[in-house]
């Protein structure tokens, strides 16, 4: 083990001129009240930069400073140190050097921690200094619960014995925390929260059980041979949700709350009878997170200003469209949060109510007892509201009530499942709404998707393949042609030449994969939007049921930017990849461009992306 030097971090920083004595005393006072490490307190108070502090420690102690974002971990070696100790001492095993183990530590001056690590690893420890955020993220990725889940499933399978129906319902209570099925569910939820999954899928097969987590819109699965444990999991989840445990032939919906890793998670559960048992999908909603502000959802500043203008109008219908999982709820709740003032009465009809908001009158739809969107809306109009939010316009009746409410002095916000903004008007009329009602009431439509962002820790520039370059050139060429008053053969050639020169100036980027992004190259998602505001000419075309005229007017609107163009803008800025743009083009049925196959990363094999294509009607 390296010889330890009796150095206090505060003295070290003063000697180097990084902080003053007064700053140190203030930090020590804060440390006494918070109980945190002095280094963490100093960085939290912005007295010293984390990298400055770590470089100083590296130089003074003659130990390496390791960037974990690009480090190639040996998972088996890392797991030689129990997770509890790794998190307690903020340490991670990096390399076996023969006599010593190189261990990355946030605080390499903690001699007690070094001694404890040496005893646990049964080998001398050579410290390295690492960033705390990178270490914690690496621990989340490496100490996955997959093996623990597999072991618990095997244990539960053994407890089930030979009989397929082995549950004594009277002996299963919600506080039986020591039984294997509860431990298994706990591990499943902890693993999902650890990797920031939005959904958990439990899918029983004939000879296997699949547990799949959706992360950033992509499914990742774990397959286990213990297929019979699925019934035990479903039974426990039904008990937690208060569902009918004897009903296995019909779908059921429920919800419950759990606490995982100090986070309050609201779980929305849906069961469905499958060929080999009941499948379960659970949406995880972190109630400890604040609602997303409109400023950070990813809408371009000019478009956001136009959207804000729409939602602050005294009346009219504003729709947000897109497939399931496209972020519609986030946008609507962001709008509600902005409108939520003491001067406004807001009533919502939702199925389900996802987030509880103060001052807002939220109604949970229950169709089994007749509490439908239409019935709630009829009553809500007698409650003197200023703003109405309809979770979803599902049929002609709710569409007509929403349209008429928006004509009588109410601002109505809602969602609709359509492919893009242009298709929304057509869809409303297809549902039975009168064209004149749509023309008078509809103020604007936002269509949106979520695309994955390049991991900022491993992103690098790359030169697109020839087919990708041709694809971008065609996209740019179409934009140049659309700007022409008249498109001739000469203008087409000129547009292609100009586009070819323009695309060479772009610097495309992609993530190569690191510990931060679980080797996917992507981390997080961002919204792409198109906003269609209905002007007088468009309203006249709608009133006349003139589809061609409406489509041409909308497409020629200089303020209108399509979903595809929004995605391409992010690609040329290096925020996402051309693969993600291709996926958007495929979803919105972009016909102007040649097809580009969407590549699947090695780590996302057997995964699928969210999204749904809804065909457009032929006429209004």
């Amino acid at each position: 083990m390296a010889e330890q030097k009796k150095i206090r971090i505060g003295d070290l920083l003063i000697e180097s001129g990084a902080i003053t004595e007064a700053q140190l005393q203030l930090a020590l006072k804060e440390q006494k009240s918070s109980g945190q490490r002095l280094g963490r307190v100093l960085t939290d108070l912005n007295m010293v930069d984390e990298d400055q502090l770590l470089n100083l420690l590296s130089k003074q102690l003659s130990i390496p400073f390791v960037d974990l974002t690009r480090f190639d971990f040996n998972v088996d070696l890392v797991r030689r140190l129990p997770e509890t100790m790794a998190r307690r001492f903020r340490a991670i095993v990096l390399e076996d050097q023969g006599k010593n183990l190189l261990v990355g530590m946030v605080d390499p001056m903690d001699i007690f921690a070094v001694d404890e690590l040496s005893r646990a690893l049964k080998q001398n420890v050579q410290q390295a200094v690492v960033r705390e955020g990178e270490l914690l993220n690496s621990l989340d990725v490496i100490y996955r619960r997959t093996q623990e889940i597999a072991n618990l499933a095997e244990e539960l399978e053994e407890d089930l014995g030979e009989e397929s129906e082995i549950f004594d319902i009277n002996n299963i209570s919600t506080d039986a925390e020591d039984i294997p099925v509860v431990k298994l569910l706990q591990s499943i939820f902890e693993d999902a929260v650890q990797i920031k999954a939005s959904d958990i899928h439990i899918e029983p097969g004939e000879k296997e059980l699949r547990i799949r987590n959706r992360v950033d819109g992509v499914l990742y699965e774990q397959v286990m041979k213990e297929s019979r444990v699925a019934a035990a999991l479903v039974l426990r989840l039904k008990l937690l949700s208060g569902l009918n445990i004897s009903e296995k032939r019909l779908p059921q919906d429920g919800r419950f709350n759990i606490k995982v890793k100090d986070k309050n998670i609201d779980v929305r559960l849906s069961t469905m009878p499958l060929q080999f048992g009941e499948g379960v999908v659970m949406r995880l909603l972190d109630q400890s997170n604040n609602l997303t502000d409109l400023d950070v959802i990813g809408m371009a500043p000019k478009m956001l200003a136009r959207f804000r203008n729409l939602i602050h109008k005294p009346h009219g219908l504003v729709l947000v469209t897109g497939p399931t999982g496209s972020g519609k709820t986030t946008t609507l709740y962001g709008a509600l949060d902005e409108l939520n003032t003491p001067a406004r009465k807001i009533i919502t009809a939702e199925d389900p109510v996802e987030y509880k908001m103060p001052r807002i009158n939220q109604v949970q739809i229950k169709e089994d007892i007749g509490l439908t969107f239409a019935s709630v809306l009829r009553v809500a109009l007698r409650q003197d509201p200023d703003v109405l939010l309809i979770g979803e316009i599902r049929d002609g009746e709710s569409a007509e009530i929403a349209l008429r409410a928006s004509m009588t002095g109410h601002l109505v916000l809602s969602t609709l499942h359509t492919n893009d903004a242009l298709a929304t008007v057509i869809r409303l009329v297809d549902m039975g709404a009168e064209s004149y009602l749509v023309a008078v009431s509809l103020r604007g439509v936002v269509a949106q998707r979520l695309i994955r962002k390049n991991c900022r820790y491993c992103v690098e520039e790359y030169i697109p393949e020839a087919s990708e370059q041709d694809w971008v050139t065609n996209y740019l060429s179409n934009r140049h042609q659309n700007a022409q008053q008249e498109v001739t053969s000469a203008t087409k050639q000129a547009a292609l030449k100009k586009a070819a020169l323009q695309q060479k100036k772009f610097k495309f980027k992609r993530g190569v994969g690191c510990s931060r992004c679980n080797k996917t190259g992507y981390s997080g998602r961002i919204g792409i939007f198109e906003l269609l505001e209905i002007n007088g000419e468009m309203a006249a075309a709608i009133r006349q049921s003139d589809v061609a005229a409406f489509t041409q007017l909308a497409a020629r609107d200089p303020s209108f930017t399509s979903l595809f163009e929004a995605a391409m803008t992010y690609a040329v800025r290096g925020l996402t990849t051309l693969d993600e743009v291709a996926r958007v083009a495929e979803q919105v049925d972009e016909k102007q461009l040649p097809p580009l196959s969407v590549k699947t990363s090695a780590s996302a094999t057997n995964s699928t992306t969210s999204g749904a294509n809804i065909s457009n009607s032929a006429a209004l």
Side-chain angles (χ1 to χ4, degrees), residues 470-618:
D470 290 343
W471 196 62
V472 177
T473 300
N474 272 277
Y475 153 70
L476 295 170
S477 172
N478 287 330
R479 291 191 65 186
H480 294 319
Q481 289 182 55
N482 290 338
Q484 301 293 325
Q485 293 293 327
E486 181 181 357
V487 178
T488 65
S489 177
T491 58
K492 287 181 181 179
Q493 291 300 318
L496 277 171
K497 185 176 181 180
K498 185 177 180 180
L501 291 173
Q502 185 179 357
Q503 78 96 15
K504 289 180 180 180
K505 300 177 182 179
F506 295 139
K507 295 181 179 180
F508 293 98
K509 296 180 180 180
R510 63 184 173 195
V512 296
C514 66
S515 62
R516 285 269 185 161
C517 61
N518 199 19
K519 305 297 182 182
T520 63
Y522 297 101
S523 180
R525 292 188 291 177
I526 191 169
I528 55 170
F529 303 86
E530 61 182 25
L531 172 57
L532 176 65
E533 293 182 87
I534 307 299
N535 58 31
E537 291 181 320
M538 294 182 203
I542 294 171
R543 189 177 290 105
Q544 298 298 321
S545 299
D546 191 338
V547 178
F550 167 75
T551 304
Q552 289 176 4
L553 288 167
R556 290 175 181 172
D557 187 340
S559 64
F560 180 74
T561 301
S562 70
L563 286 169
F564 174 77
E565 289 177 303
M568 185 62 81
T569 300
Y570 282 134
V572 299
R573 288 170 54 190
L575 294 177
T576 191
T577 63
L578 287 173
D579 286 349
E580 282 294 284
V581 180
R583 185 168 65 86
V584 172
E586 194 174 68
Q587 287 183 3
V588 299
D589 195 23
E590 181 66 45
K591 296 183 175 63
Q592 293 180 320
L593 298 165
L596 178 68
S597 59
V598 181
K599 302 179 183 66
T600 304
S601 64
S603 58
T605 305
N606 296 326
S607 65
T608 183
T609 55
S610 62
N613 287 327
I614 303 175
S615 60
N616 301 337
S617 299

Side-chain angles (χ1 to χ4, degrees), residues 18-279:
I19 62 173
T20 64
E21 179 66 34
Q23 287 177 315
L24 175 60
Q25 293 305 317
L26 178 62
L28 288 171
K29 184 179 179 181
E30 177 65 25
Q31 181 195 26
K32 188 175 180 180
S33 61
S34 67
Q36 294 181 327
R37 294 178 299 100
L38 180 59
R40 176 66 180 273
V41 172
L42 288 165
T43 55
D44 286 348
L45 293 175
N46 294 320
M47 292 181 179
V48 63
D49 181 76
E50 183 181 22
D51 280 6
Q52 180 187 7
L53 173 61
L54 298 183
N55 278 311
L56 191 62
L57 286 174
S58 173
K59 181 179 179 181
Q60 187 69 36
L61 299 176
S62 300
I63 61 176
F65 176 16
V66 179
D67 182 355
L68 296 183
T69 59
R70 298 298 182 95
F71 193 83
D72 190 12
F73 292 99
N74 181 330
V75 175
D76 292 332
L77 181 63
V78 174
R79 287 181 175 172
R80 283 180 57 181
L81 182 66
E83 182 183 4
T84 53
M85 294 192 70
R87 293 188 183 278
R88 177 186 174 190
F89 295 119
R90 293 293 194 264
I92 187 168
V93 183
L94 300 176
E95 185 180 325
D96 189 344
Q97 299 177 330
K99 292 183 179 180
N100 301 323
L101 287 176
L102 183 65
V103 177
M105 300 181 66
V106 173
D107 184 6
M109 299 174 67
D110 187 343
I111 300 174
F112 170 77
V114 173
D115 289 341
E116 286 292 310
L117 292 170
S118 296
R119 278 194 288 270
L121 294 166
K122 297 181 175 61
Q123 201 166 340
N124 288 338
V125 167
Q126 171 64 53
Q127 306 105 296
V129 63
V130 297
R131 299 183 185 93
E132 185 171 18
E134 292 173 7
L135 179 132
L136 293 176
N137 190 78
S138 299
L139 295 181
D140 284 344
V141 172
I142 294 171
Y143 288 101
R144 287 284 306 276
R145 298 291 193 270
T146 50
Q147 188 58 49
E148 180 181 304
I149 290 170
N151 293 339
L152 288 169
E154 185 176 352
E155 179 184 345
L156 179 56
E157 176 93 351
E158 292 174 358
D159 281 2
L160 299 185
E162 298 298 326
E163 299 295 328
S164 58
E165 298 291 340
I166 46 71
F167 303 110
D168 182 355
I169 293 172
N170 295 322
N171 291 333
I172 297 181
S173 61
T174 55
D175 59 354
E177 297 180 358
D178 58 338
I179 64 177
V181 66
V182 175
K183 292 180 180 178
L184 178 55
L185 276 176
Q186 181 179 344
S187 292
I188 290 172
F189 281 117
E190 287 180 354
D191 184 58
V193 171
Q194 194 162 295
I195 61 175
K196 300 178 177 64
S198 61
D199 302 85
I200 302 173
H201 297 237
I202 298 176
E203 302 169 346
E206 183 178 10
K207 297 180 180 179
E208 72 283 326
L209 168 65
R210 284 182 170 84
I211 296 177
R212 301 203 279 176
N213 293 313
R214 190 179 294 279
V215 182
D216 290 340
V218 178
L219 285 170
Y220 301 89
E221 73 174 19
Q222 179 178 0
V223 182
M224 296 173 290
K225 65 180 184 300
E226 295 83 9
S227 60
R228 291 191 299 119
V229 307
L233 291 174
V234 174
L235 177 59
R236 169 61 54 174
L237 291 168
K238 282 184 173 181
L239 286 170
L240 288 171
S241 307
L243 301 181
N244 184 352
I245 57 178
S246 62
E247 179 57 76
K248 300 179 181 180
R249 301 167 300 169
L250 297 173
Q252 297 187 69
D253 294 325
R255 68 191 305 166
F256 59 92
N257 291 282
I258 57 172
K259 191 168 186 178
V260 182
K261 292 182 173 292
D262 298 325
K263 293 184 177 181
N264 292 317
I265 306 296
D266 187 31
V267 182
R268 282 171 37 196
L269 177 144
S270 175
T271 70
M272 177 178 287
L274 305 176
Q275 186 177 6
F276 300 107
E278 288 183 276

